[in-house]
Amino acid sequence: MNISTDIGVWVGALFAIAIYSILYKDNLAYSVVESIFIGATTGHAIVVGVQTFKSTAWTPLVGGKLLFVVPLIFGALLYTRYFPSVSWLNRWPLALMMGTSAGVAMRGAIESQVVAQVSATFVNLLDINKFLIFLGTVLSLTYFFLTFQIKGKASLLPKIGRYFMMAAFGAAFGNTVMGRISAAIGRFQFIFVKWLGLGS
Amino acid sequence: MHLAKRTIPVAIAFVCGIIQVVDYFFKIESVNTWAQEIRSWVSIVAIFALGLGAVNVLRVHLKKVRQAPSESLNSILLLITFLVTISIGLTAGQSSKPYKFIFDYIIVPTGSAIFSLLAFYIGTAAYRAFRAKNAEAAILLVTGCIVMLGKVPLGEKIIPFAPKWTTWIMEVLNVGGQRGVMIAGAIGFVAVSLRIIIGLERRTYGVD
């Protein structure tokens, strides 16, 4: 056994153990590390935000792009929520963000999630796998058909569609489980190999 | 006042949204310039929103410390770490040694430990989800188990065909099912986006 002498490795390992201690029961070590983590992460987000602000807003503004005053004013208006008499002013920047995001998301959704998916579905349908993909897509879509209730023998279509979706969810679940387990293995390797020096 | 409180926000959302949509469908250079300009404005306003989050964190935890100082060890630690990280990051820079220490030995390992915690909790969720009570649950169970076994070398020893079947499930059944969900979700998403742009969904920006 060759225990690490690096203070950073000690901190990382002890913090990881404190996090895993929640699996036994809620305790002081877990909540302390959790608070430190939230503080550091929030601080990091602010530091990154300030750097981004400098490069995307401040530098162009100082360089002569006076139109950048608009987002600065709108950004400042977000803070009016702390002053009840003028708190309604924070609707303006929110409207800017929501309107733009809706427009941008709409373009993205139409292009990548509708047109691209539909055109990728109707390809080489004589191939059994491609045909199954086509069938899965169409039948899954019938499950979301809510204009009127599908009755009789046709009600079998959304049912089969649901089976396709359950297969997809099972696959996604299995994938997620394995992803998380590999993250846990990575942490255990850090604790046992890098910190305690076992098996190195 | 009605104009400033209700009409202007609706107009802002409409103009900003419609410019993005028009820019996509009609390639007009001046519209494209404005669409890009507005998108860069939004990313700047989003930074201010991030600051708003930080102010909220400060307010909540300072209130806790003021109300019961002896019972707020966690809030004190959070505030100290928060302020230390910000002051180091803004004065010494993100490539300085102390900042790298915070990032490499506090944020990254603790973050991945928290992320991996779900591996344990997901086990109990799997127990509940994977009980084959009906055909749907049975399909979920079978595909989930095959994919899990197919992703590790041990799985191949237990069921030799697991990796091959995993590939087939991921590339055929998964694609078929997910694609249907994706298209249906996107259609709903487009509908909601349209409602926001034309001012039917005003609550998203605080107007009743």
Side-chain angles (χ1 to χ4, degrees):
Chain A
M1 203 159 87
N2 188 14
I3 297 179
S4 170
T5 50
D6 186 342
I7 182 87
V9 173
W10 273 78
V11 171
L14 292 176
F15 276 25
I17 291 169
I19 290 295
Y20 286 132
S21 69
I22 189 73
L23 293 169
Y24 175 61
K25 65 175 183 180
D26 200 0
N27 61 79
L28 185 68
Y30 174 78
S31 58
V32 162
V33 171
E34 189 189 35
S35 301
I36 292 172
F37 175 69
I38 296 170
T41 314
T42 321
H44 174 63
I46 295 301
V47 171
V48 173
V50 170
Q51 305 290 357
T52 317
F53 174 78
K54 272 186 194 168
S55 59
T56 57
W58 193 250
T59 313
L61 183 73
V62 174
K65 268 194 104 177
L66 293 177
L67 214 56
F68 271 64
V69 170
V70 178
L72 296 188
I73 294 169
F74 270 72
L77 287 180
L78 276 175
Y79 293 83
T80 56
R81 63 188 298 123
Y82 295 121
F83 309 99
S85 60
V86 286
S87 64
W88 54 269
L89 274 168
N90 84 78
R91 292 170 183 177
W92 294 14
L94 286 176
L96 174 85
M97 288 203 282
M98 288 311 299
T100 311
S101 307
V104 171
M106 212 170 116
R107 309 156 28 138
I110 291 170
E111 190 169 295
S112 65
Q113 292 178 354
V114 180
V115 178
Q117 298 301 325
V118 170
S119 54
T121 305
F122 292 87
V123 175
N124 195 12
L125 293 181
L126 293 175
D127 181 288
I128 180 73
N129 285 337
K130 303 272 188 209
F131 183 71
L132 275 173
I133 291 174
F134 161 77
L135 211 63
T137 306
V138 174
L139 294 177
S140 307
L141 275 172
T142 60
Y143 179 74
F144 296 100
F145 186 78
L146 305 167
T147 311
F148 56 82
Q149 196 181 358
I150 301 172
K151 288 177 184 166
K153 283 183 181 169
S155 66
L156 200 67
L157 299 176
K159 199 173 179 185
I160 301 170
R162 211 160 61 213
Y163 292 159
F164 267 100
M165 283 191 287
M166 292 316 275
F169 296 150
F173 190 92
N175 240 350
T176 309
V177 171
M178 297 319 287
R180 300 300 169 124
I181 286 176
S182 72
I185 290 169
R187 278 306 85 205
F188 289 130
Q189 273 181 335
F190 180 81
I191 292 168
F192 289 112
V193 180
K194 209 166 178 185
W195 180 45
L196 295 175
L198 295 168
S200 57
Chain B
M1 218 46 166
H2 181 273
L3 177 83
K5 282 184 179 177
R6 289 177 65 94
T7 315
I8 291 182
V10 174
I12 291 171
F14 176 76
V15 171
C16 294
I18 214 76
I19 285 176
Q20 302 303 326
V21 177
V22 169
D23 173 46
Y24 176 70
F25 287 106
F26 310 96
K27 306 287 178 198
I28 304 166
E29 208 178 317
S30 57
V31 177
N32 179 264
T33 312
W34 275 104
Q36 278 182 15
E37 190 73 31
I38 290 170
R39 286 202 294 273
S40 65
W41 289 3
V42 167
S43 56
I44 294 166
V45 177
I47 298 169
F48 279 89
L50 193 72
L52 197 70
V55 172
N56 274 337
V57 168
L58 276 175
R59 276 164 58 99
V60 167
H61 289 280
L62 280 173
K63 195 178 168 189
K64 274 187 184 173
V65 173
R66 266 203 306 269
Q67 280 173 346
S70 56
E71 292 168 18
S72 45
L73 170 72
N74 291 339
S75 293
I76 294 168
L77 280 170
L78 190 148
L79 288 170
I80 291 171
T81 333
F82 176 67
L83 296 172
V84 166
T85 310
I86 288 183
S87 28
I88 294 173
L90 295 182
T91 53
Q94 280 175 273
S95 49
S96 66
K97 245 185 169 180
Y99 196 85
K100 275 193 164 179
F101 183 90
I102 293 172
F103 189 80
D104 292 341
Y105 295 116
I106 295 178
I107 295 176
V108 173
T110 316
S112 49
I114 291 171
F115 179 81
S116 68
L117 262 187
L118 210 72
F120 300 96
Y121 290 121
I122 221 165
T124 55
Y127 175 73
R128 268 173 277 153
F130 283 1
R131 271 184 297 183
K133 287 175 288 187
N134 49 39
E136 283 93 338
I139 293 169
L140 190 85
L141 168 77
V142 171
T143 50
C145 288
I146 292 174
V147 168
M148 281 190 273
L149 286 171
K151 294 264 175 185
V152 285
L154 182 69
E156 198 177 354
K157 300 281 177 207
I158 300 167
I159 307 172
F161 55 78
K164 211 175 167 185
W165 279 38
T166 298
T167 312
W168 183 77
I169 289 170
M170 293 307 292
E171 288 176 3
V172 179
L173 293 185
N174 181 47
V175 172
Q178 295 281 14
R179 199 169 272 171
V181 175
M182 197 188 286
I183 294 171
I187 292 168
F189 200 71
V190 169
V192 173
S193 298
L194 259 179
R195 284 177 64 84
I196 292 173
I197 292 170
I198 61 177
L200 288 174
E201 210 70 64
R202 294 185 293 267
R203 282 187 189 169
T204 51
Y205 42 87
V207 179
D208 292 325

